[in-house]
Amino acid sequence: MTKFNSVLILALLASIFANVYQYLNGHKQVSVPQSEQSQIESRRTDGLAQQQSKDTQQLNQETQPNFPQTPDVHEPAVETDSEVAEKLNTQASTDTQRGVPNTTRFKPDRRAAYLAQTRRWLAAQEYAKLDAFFPLYLRQYPQDVEFLLLEAEYIAHTHLLSDAIIHYHSMLSLPLNNAQQDQVQNTIARLTSRTITQLKQANSWDILAQFVEPLLQVSPTSRELILALATAYARQQQAGLMENTLASIRYDDPQAMKIRGIIQQYDDEVNAQSDRATKTTNDNLRKNVSTGVTSIGLQKYGDQYVVESSLSGNQVYFLIDTGASTTAISRQKFKVLFKSVDTKFVGQFNVQTANGTVRSPMYQFASLEIAKAKVKNINVMVLPLDELGHSDGLLGMNFLREFDFRIDQQNALLHLQ
């Protein structure tokens, strides 16, 4: 039994040795010299590095804009404003078309230069440059209050004035210091009160209503806005809207009662003016004498009449338009006058024209004079009036209603008294 077990053990060992021998012969490894292996590893590493560098360079070319270095305040000749603005506009346009977010970075140590340049653009009314600059800068520094205040000033010149004032209201939620908060609140009050006064003086009641309506949504308890809007409605003979506006004020409030009396007063004045005009005309015909009436010759084109006038001392031809509440001038003529005439910017407003509603700026001129009839501090809209072939603008009711006027169509005369 012991001899048999020994044979089995020897057979088992022989089988194991045979299997090991076959395994080793079937899986021989080819050895690589150490120097060659190092060369292969080096080439592989260099190839990966080159490919990574190429990929990085391509990514940078696709996503990184060539933003110009803004000149330091002590280096005024490094780069001009126009060059900076042109690059800003080009880059912004390119990024928008390619769908690549603009990743321009503004250096904190250049902030003083950015601030000075922004103020220069505002003073020069370079609004296209500011339109490209503000979104990029404020995307990086959204809480920079000084630039936010400058942006609000820019908005006041380029957007509807009511929208600009609403924008100032929204700034009150920012972390402003006391001086900045006072500045915003004073700006809101100044723009609101000044514009209401100017539009009332110009009898631009439709524009006044459009200006106040959105502001009242932001400040629904403002007595100044309520009374101004109610007055605008009353002047336009819109009694229902007037009463709805005055609903939050006591019925017997003296100012509210005065506004309600405008409608009845208007009807009485219209009737009285009609009676006076009829009586004056008949008396003049009988007596054949002058009663201070100024008669101005008109140029007739079809059924339209053009009158020569002097706008702040400059010759301007106006087409008489009794349907226009505010006098208007064409953009082309305004560009010519703007170079030599002092004007005060009032704001941007929506205006109804024959081609629909357009947003237009309003400016205050020192005077508008026709013959001896003169109106001082008159507001004038700047409109796209390209189709006016024989005139520079429209003579509106904010001038004509200052006089008793009559158009003699047969003799092409404008009578003012």
Side-chain angles (χ1 to χ4, degrees):
M1 186 70 178
T2 303
K3 184 178 181 180
F4 179 75
N5 290 337
S6 298
V7 172
L8 288 177
I9 291 172
L10 290 174
L12 180 61
L13 291 173
S15 175
I16 293 173
F17 286 136
N19 289 334
V20 170
Y21 177 78
Q22 290 177 358
Y23 177 80
L24 293 175
N25 286 338
H27 296 79
K28 288 183 178 180
Q29 294 183 352
V30 179
S31 62
V32 180
Q34 183 66 30
S35 60
E36 185 178 349
Q37 184 175 2
S38 298
Q39 293 176 2
I40 293 174
E41 182 65 24
S42 177
R43 286 195 299 269
R44 186 178 69 84
T45 303
D46 293 343
L48 288 174
Q50 291 176 1
Q51 182 63 35
Q52 183 178 7
S53 177
K54 186 183 296 185
D55 292 344
T56 302
Q57 182 178 3
Q58 182 177 2
L59 179 61
N60 288 337
Q61 290 175 350
E62 291 180 353
T63 60
Q64 295 295 329
N66 289 326
F67 183 73
Q69 293 292 330
T70 304
D72 188 79
V73 289
H74 302 297
E75 303 173 355
V78 173
E79 191 168 27
T80 64
D81 291 350
S82 60
E83 290 171 343
V84 173
E86 182 178 358
K87 292 180 181 179
L88 277 169
N89 289 330
T90 301
Q91 184 60 50
S93 176
T94 302
D95 289 346
T96 301
Q97 293 174 1
R98 294 169 56 191
V100 178
N102 196 301
T103 56
T104 297
R105 306 298 295 176
F106 293 90
K107 296 181 179 180
D109 59 346
R110 293 294 188 92
R111 182 181 181 277
Y114 301 145
L115 196 62
Q117 187 177 78
T118 303
R119 286 171 175 157
R120 288 196 300 269
W121 281 342
L122 270 174
Q125 299 184 6
E126 298 285 355
Y127 299 134
K129 298 174 185 178
L130 293 169
D131 188 56
F133 170 77
F134 278 124
L136 300 181
Y137 183 87
L138 292 176
R139 185 183 303 154
Q140 184 175 344
Y141 302 106
Q143 297 297 319
D144 193 323
V145 175
E146 282 191 89
F147 278 92
L148 288 170
L149 289 171
L150 290 175
E151 183 197 32
E153 185 178 345
Y154 152 76
I155 291 175
H157 283 82
T158 58
H159 293 61
L160 290 177
L161 186 54
S162 55
D163 290 345
I165 295 175
I166 291 173
H167 178 79
Y168 274 108
H169 275 285
S170 68
M171 291 186 65
L172 294 174
S173 62
L174 297 174
L176 306 176
N177 58 38
N178 291 337
Q180 291 168 339
Q181 191 167 20
D182 290 342
Q183 179 182 349
V184 172
Q185 291 176 335
N186 291 337
T187 301
I188 293 172
R190 174 176 55 82
L191 289 177
T192 301
S193 299
R194 183 197 68 185
T195 305
I196 289 175
T197 300
Q198 289 179 332
L199 294 178
K200 282 183 175 180
Q201 291 175 347
N203 294 318
S204 301
W205 305 114
D206 54 340
I207 298 178
L208 176 60
Q210 294 176 21
F211 169 70
V212 175
E213 284 168 349
L215 298 182
L216 201 56
Q217 300 297 319
V218 179
S219 304
T221 60
S222 170
R223 179 179 176 86
E224 179 185 26
L225 295 177
I226 292 172
L227 295 176
L229 184 58
T231 301
Y233 287 148
R235 291 294 183 182
Q236 297 178 84
Q237 299 298 291
Q238 297 176 334
L241 293 175
M242 177 196 69
E243 289 295 347
N244 290 339
T245 305
L246 293 174
S248 59
I249 296 180
R250 287 173 41 200
Y251 186 84
D252 58 350
D253 182 273
Q255 288 183 287
M257 295 300 293
K258 183 177 180 180
I259 293 172
R260 289 187 176 95
I262 291 175
I263 294 180
Q264 183 59 45
Q265 180 183 357
Y266 179 84
D267 292 338
D268 294 341
E269 287 180 354
V270 169
N271 294 332
Q273 288 177 0
S274 178
D275 294 341
R276 286 198 304 269
T278 301
K279 183 178 184 299
T280 300
T281 301
N282 293 335
D283 290 345
N284 291 340
L285 289 175
R286 286 194 300 269
K287 298 178 181 179
N288 195 26
V289 296
S290 173
T291 58
V293 176
T294 301
S295 298
I296 303 103
L298 304 176
Q299 301 174 23
K300 185 176 182 180
Y301 299 96
D303 58 349
Q304 298 178 333
Y305 297 90
V306 174
V307 61
E308 181 182 356
S309 69
S310 175
L311 183 61
S312 292
N314 292 266
Q315 186 182 58
V316 177
Y317 289 91
F318 281 112
L319 174 68
I320 298 177
D321 185 359
T322 57
S325 62
T326 305
T327 298
I329 194 171
S330 68
R331 290 175 179 172
Q332 293 83 349
K333 188 64 176 180
F334 179 76
K335 289 179 181 179
V336 175
L337 296 178
F338 187 74
K339 300 175 182 178
S340 58
V341 177
D342 290 333
T343 60
K344 294 181 180 179
F345 178 75
V346 179
Q348 296 271 352
F349 302 94
N350 280 334
V351 180
Q352 294 292 334
T353 68
N355 297 323
T357 302
V358 296
R359 187 178 70 192
S360 300
M362 176 185 287
Y363 289 85
Q364 186 180 88
F365 285 79
S367 65
L368 175 57
E369 188 171 2
I370 299 178
K372 297 179 181 180
K374 185 176 183 178
V375 174
K376 296 182 179 180
N377 299 323
I378 188 166
N379 291 341
V380 178
M381 303 296 302
V382 180
L383 296 175
L385 301 173
D386 301 334
E387 68 277 5
L388 295 179
H390 303 286
S391 65
D392 303 310
L394 304 174
L395 183 65
M397 291 300 295
N398 63 329
F399 177 88
L400 293 173
R401 67 163 48 97
E402 297 295 325
F403 310 92
D404 287 335
F405 73 94
R406 182 173 62 88
I407 299 175
D408 183 350
Q409 298 184 9
Q410 184 176 357
N411 298 307
L413 293 173
L414 172 64
H415 301 292
L416 297 175
Q417 182 178 11

